[in-house]
Amino acid sequence: MPPGTPFHGLIPPFPIRVDEFASTPELTSVPALYLLSHTHTDHILGLSSKSFASTTICSPDAKEMLLRHETYNERAVKDTDLRDEARASKTFAHLKIRPLLNDGRLDYSASRDLLKTLPLHTPTKIELCNNSTITLTLFDANHCPGAVMFLVEGDQGAVLHTGDFRAEPWFLDYIRRNPFLQPYLAPPNAQDGGQFDEKCPRTPLSKILDSIYLDTASVLSTTVVPAKRCNPGLGLLMALFPHQTTFFINAWTWGYEDILRAVARSFQSQIHVDRYKHTIYSHVEDPFLHSVITLDPSKTRFHACERFNRCPHANGVDVVYINPVTMDKVKWEQYCALTESKLRAAQPVSVLLVPLSRHSPLQELRAFVSLFRPARVVPNTLHPSFHGLDELCIPHLFADCLSSPPSSLSFSADMEKGEMEINEDFNDAAIQNLIGDGADSIARVWADTGRSIDKLAVIEPFLRGKTRDVVRRTLGLPPVPDENFNGDERAVSALKRIRDAQHIQAYRSSGGESDQETGSDDDDAHMRTAKALFGITGMSQIVDLKEKNGCKHLRVGTH
């Protein structure tokens, strides 16, 4: 997991560690079991150490990908065929050592296989070293090939660890229909925001998750993003280019395979990939993905080969680069309309953006958590610049999605008397990996760049006292009296957030921060934020602002 994860990757009450494999002095005991959710770099730290010798459970695809994993340097050496031993090197080969053939017999004395795989949707009993037994079930996580969620059940309770995932609407339906998760679903009225009876006893038909260890990489984003799998806009734009145009798809990490599938279907053409991608994709359980890739660059004008060592066909001056980014639904529609008008007017376009989010923003996360109404939410990802403020506030972002309210907030004295330094280099990873001339400036206009100051604005209303004053100074806002969030004050806070957003925009424009994005203070965007955070669905709900005895009172209702 990314550095700073609560409990160092452990998932109390179980002695199980997820996606953290490096030794750390803070661990007081050796985990009884390790789980690997997927093979992105920030989730496999410590697995490359030759001293790691613990059993690790993952999906079959994750095992195939890990054992075939090559660093960029390893790939470069192997592709240039510099030395025989480099071709055989694998970063994680020590995790599976095959038996040696000795005098015609297999010698198993030095063999081992630390990666144990489980099929999806198959509850499996596992005995831990402390003589306790758990039942472990894996579920698809809709993030990248091999990515899974873990349901851990035992005498001490039950927890769901999402790893990295994308909980878009179709995925929620997948959750509702899964027979192994259905016992943990909240009653339908509670899922929709109704009252949850926390005194209701657990039964085989109605269980409560003690914790959801939640992918919070994008929890502080209120962007409403398009679905991954249904995006015809890209194909329509690509079809407006001359028929001989060569496209390079910047699939710079695992998880952008939906773009490859969509392009292949739209143009009935295979996608050229490099040797390494072809090796990985050929060994995952995805027959259609197998069929859409080719090693022959001359067979297609669509390429997703190694971006730092592109084939000659994808390295010309007329190549059009396709970059996946995080983008709002409305902005995507506007971007498509503007780009289409440019192409029809024969204006040059060398970079295309396509919205594809591999992590869920706040709105989707709240919908996911509301399905279960667990006892608590534990973040899997924290922002290092926020000094733990996000860890404290995240449970309160889900307060009405839990079976019982979270504990009150408390902040450290150091934070209350300090200042915050925002590191704006911690942007959305897709922005850091753009390719093509002018891609950066285009993305800053249309994409969610993951700015820390925007994330800080989401948690600011949940802070109190001097800590809140420190954060508001960082945002360029004046201090305000402390508030309690009860009843109608949720609506007051939402309105104040809208006004504060305008102050933030003015602060940036005055020199506090340069900003090339457009529309960040439009009312629709603010109301979407208000809806995501406070359940307000439109201006029609904010009514009856009256003067009473010299004070303004706000009543919330519907007409």
Side-chain angles (χ1 to χ4, degrees):
M1 298 297 291
T5 303
F7 311 119
H8 306 286
L10 289 169
I11 53 172
F14 302 102
I16 298 173
R17 201 177 188 201
V18 184
D19 291 351
E20 282 201 32
F21 307 94
S23 60
T24 173
E26 287 82 6
L27 283 179
T28 57
S29 61
V30 177
L33 183 68
Y34 283 86
L35 305 179
L36 172 66
S37 68
H38 65 292
T39 62
H40 278 148
T41 304
D42 56 337
H43 292 257
I44 57 177
L45 299 177
L47 266 180
S48 60
S49 173
K50 301 300 187 289
S51 63
F52 182 82
S54 299
T55 298
T56 300
I57 292 179
C58 61
S59 70
D61 281 353
K63 179 175 182 176
E64 293 288 345
M65 296 173 70
L66 196 64
L67 293 179
R68 288 173 170 78
H69 177 87
E70 300 172 15
T71 66
Y72 175 72
N73 288 336
E74 289 171 342
R75 299 198 299 270
V77 170
K78 186 169 182 177
D79 289 339
T80 53
D81 199 23
L82 290 182
R83 62 180 188 267
D84 291 340
E85 61 269 23
R87 292 204 301 272
S89 68
K90 291 289 190 299
T91 306
F92 301 100
H94 61 285
L95 299 177
K96 181 178 180 179
I97 301 176
R98 299 181 183 278
L100 299 176
L101 186 62
N102 189 6
D103 293 333
R105 295 182 179 182
L106 290 176
D107 180 4
Y108 288 88
S109 61
S111 66
R112 67 178 182 180
D113 188 353
L114 298 179
L115 299 176
K116 307 299 183 182
T117 65
L118 293 180
L120 301 187
H121 313 139
T122 307
T124 304
K125 289 190 179 297
I126 299 173
E127 186 173 343
L128 304 181
C129 62
N130 56 359
N131 295 321
S132 64
T133 300
I134 62 163
T135 299
L136 183 65
T137 312
L138 278 58
F139 306 92
D140 179 69
N142 188 33
H143 178 68
C144 71
V148 293
M149 304 189 299
F150 298 103
L151 174 64
V152 184
E153 302 169 285
D155 293 339
Q156 297 167 291
V159 303
L160 179 65
H161 195 292
T162 68
D164 284 357
F165 81 139
R166 174 74 195 280
E168 52 193 320
W170 77 262
F171 186 82
L172 298 186
D173 192 49
Y174 157 75
I175 294 296
R176 293 187 188 96
R177 294 173 180 270
N178 194 289
F180 304 111
L181 290 173
Q182 284 176 346
Y184 294 98
L185 297 180
N189 65 315
Q191 294 178 21
D192 296 334
Q195 186 66 32
F196 186 89
D197 186 2
E198 59 186 273
K199 297 181 180 179
C200 180
R202 300 185 186 198
T203 72
L205 298 179
S206 179
K207 301 178 181 180
I208 299 176
L209 288 172
D210 296 282
S211 301
I212 293 181
Y213 290 83
L214 189 67
D215 172 16
T216 49
S218 296
V219 69
L220 300 181
S221 169
T222 57
T223 301
V224 179
V225 294
K228 286 174 59 181
R229 295 185 176 180
C230 183
N231 203 331
L234 176 63
L236 295 175
L237 292 178
M238 294 172 68
L240 295 175
F241 285 85
H243 294 308
Q244 70 275 15
T245 301
T246 297
F247 294 92
F248 181 81
I249 303 167
N250 185 22
W252 57 273
T253 189
W254 313 126
Y256 292 126
E257 292 73 26
D258 284 302
I259 302 176
L260 307 185
R261 298 186 189 97
V263 171
R265 284 194 300 265
S266 295
F267 296 94
Q268 293 298 292
S269 174
Q270 289 184 304
I271 313 294
H272 169 241
V273 296
D274 55 81
R275 174 201 56 80
Y276 177 57
K277 281 195 184 78
H278 194 275
T279 299
I280 296 296
Y281 288 153
S282 298
H283 287 87
V284 298
E285 298 174 353
D286 189 334
F288 185 66
L289 186 59
H290 301 172
S291 68
V292 305
I293 58 175
T294 179
L295 283 171
D296 187 351
S298 65
K299 289 181 60 175
T300 179
R301 58 194 181 97
F302 306 102
H303 300 264
C305 44
E306 173 59 61
R307 59 181 179 145
F308 297 124
N309 186 26
R310 298 192 295 276
C311 69
H313 297 76
N315 213 18
V317 294
D318 296 327
V319 173
V320 175
Y321 297 94
I322 299 173
N323 287 287
V325 295
T326 300
M327 189 187 301
D328 180 87
K329 276 184 177 180
V330 174
K331 280 194 172 184
W332 169 238
E333 294 171 359
Q334 295 169 345
Y335 170 80
C336 285
L338 179 61
T339 305
E340 179 181 352
S341 66
K342 286 183 176 181
L343 291 170
R344 293 191 182 279
Q347 297 181 26
V349 174
S350 62
V351 171
L352 290 176
L353 303 181
V354 58
L356 197 153
S357 298
R358 296 173 293 115
H359 301 271
S360 280
L362 178 60
Q363 184 181 39
E364 291 183 357
L365 292 175
R366 283 174 50 83
F368 175 81
V369 174
S370 294
L371 283 181
F372 297 98
R373 301 295 293 269
R376 64 173 183 162
V377 166
V378 180
N380 286 345
T381 305
L382 297 173
H383 197 302
S385 297
F386 288 174
H387 308 289
L389 290 182
D390 47 351
E391 182 178 3
L392 289 169
C393 293
I394 282 173
H396 294 263
L397 292 171
F398 298 92
D400 58 337
C401 308
L402 305 177
S403 59
S404 57
S407 59
S408 59
L409 295 172
S410 61
F411 305 103
S412 68
D414 290 341
M415 182 63 218
E416 291 191 348
K417 62 185 178 182
E419 298 290 337
M420 291 197 71
E421 294 184 5
I422 296 300
N423 177 13
E424 282 301 342
D425 290 337
F426 192 88
N427 284 341
D428 186 276
I431 299 298
Q432 298 177 355
N433 287 279
L434 297 169
I435 193 169
D437 291 341
D440 184 73
S441 59
I442 296 171
R444 289 186 180 277
V445 172
W446 296 103
D448 181 350
T449 59
R451 289 176 304 200
S452 299
I453 199 166
D454 294 333
K455 297 175 182 179
L456 199 59
V458 173
I459 65 174
E460 178 270 326
F462 296 89
L463 307 179
R464 295 292 178 271
K466 295 179 180 179
T467 302
R468 191 179 191 190
D469 291 342
V470 170
V471 171
R472 288 182 66 85
R473 282 200 303 273
T474 304
L475 294 173
L477 300 173
V480 295
D482 198 23
E483 299 177 13
N484 293 316
F485 284 80
N486 295 313
D488 293 346
E489 291 189 8
R490 291 189 308 158
V492 174
S493 173
L495 287 175
K496 183 183 70 61
R497 289 281 317 283
I498 295 172
R499 302 293 176 258
D500 283 353
Q502 296 170 343
H503 288 300
I504 293 172
Q505 179 68 16
Y507 170 68
R508 293 173 180 158
S509 300
S510 67
E513 179 183 336
S514 61
D515 186 6
Q516 299 182 30
E517 286 195 21
T518 59
S520 59
D521 61 343
D522 84 291
D523 289 340
D524 288 341
H526 297 321
M527 291 314 301
R528 287 196 297 273
T529 300
K531 176 182 177 182
L533 290 176
F534 305 104
I536 296 176
T537 57
M539 291 302 295
S540 61
Q541 286 186 281
I542 303 172
V543 295
D544 294 349
L545 186 63
K546 298 179 180 179
E547 295 283 348
K548 293 184 179 180
N549 300 324
C551 299
K552 291 184 178 180
H553 292 260
L554 183 67
R555 182 170 64 84
V556 177
T558 55
H559 290 314

